[in-house]
């Protein structure tokens, strides 16, 4: 029987992989860390614990998006305003 949360985990992995392309330390660094994080938790079978890990991954995705928006904002501010 397949895990019903598998599709959600795969979606989260793909989303994080996409977001990690522009990571400040490089996409390869982020991809390696992401792969190791997911492989370390590969053996988790408890649905409650899987949901908790998914929530943590979604938090990381929101933080990455905020990081990128902040970087874009700073770049725009630097172009139009002198400090």
């Amino acid at each position: 029987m397949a895990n019903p949360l598998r599709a959600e985990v795969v979606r989260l992995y793909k989303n994080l992989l996409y977001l990690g392309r522009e990571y400040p330390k490089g996409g390869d660094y982020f991809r390696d860390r992401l792969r190791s994080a997911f492989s370390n938790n590969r053996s988790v079978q408890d649905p409650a614990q899987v949901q908790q890990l998914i929530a943590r991954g979604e938090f990381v995705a929101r933080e990455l998006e905020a990081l990128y928006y902040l970087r874009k904002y700073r770049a725009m501010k630097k172009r139009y305003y002198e400090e």
Side-chain angles (χ1 to χ4, degrees):
M1 182 170 150
N3 191 349
L5 297 172
R6 186 180 192 293
E8 195 170 348
V9 171
V10 170
R11 180 195 53 79
L12 177 65
Y13 183 81
K14 286 181 179 181
N15 187 26
L16 286 170
L17 196 59
Y18 176 77
L19 288 172
R21 292 183 310 159
E22 296 181 27
Y23 193 70
K25 287 189 176 182
D28 294 334
Y29 172 81
F30 186 84
R31 186 179 57 239
D32 293 340
R33 300 270 313 234
L34 180 66
R35 187 175 294 144
S36 68
F38 271 77
S39 66
N40 288 342
N41 295 314
R42 174 180 274 184
S43 63
V44 176
Q45 296 293 324
D46 181 33
Q49 198 172 13
V50 171
Q51 282 288 2
Q52 190 177 25
L53 290 168
I54 289 171
R56 184 176 179 196
E58 289 172 349
F59 173 77
V60 170
R62 286 192 307 271
E63 289 292 315
L64 282 172
E65 289 173 351
L67 174 73
Y68 297 152
Y69 287 134
L70 181 62
R71 186 173 66 185
K72 287 179 184 179
Y73 170 75
R74 286 181 177 163
M76 292 296 290
K77 186 178 177 184
K78 193 175 184 182
R79 286 182 191 154
Y80 294 107
Y81 300 105
E82 293 184 23
E83 292 183 22

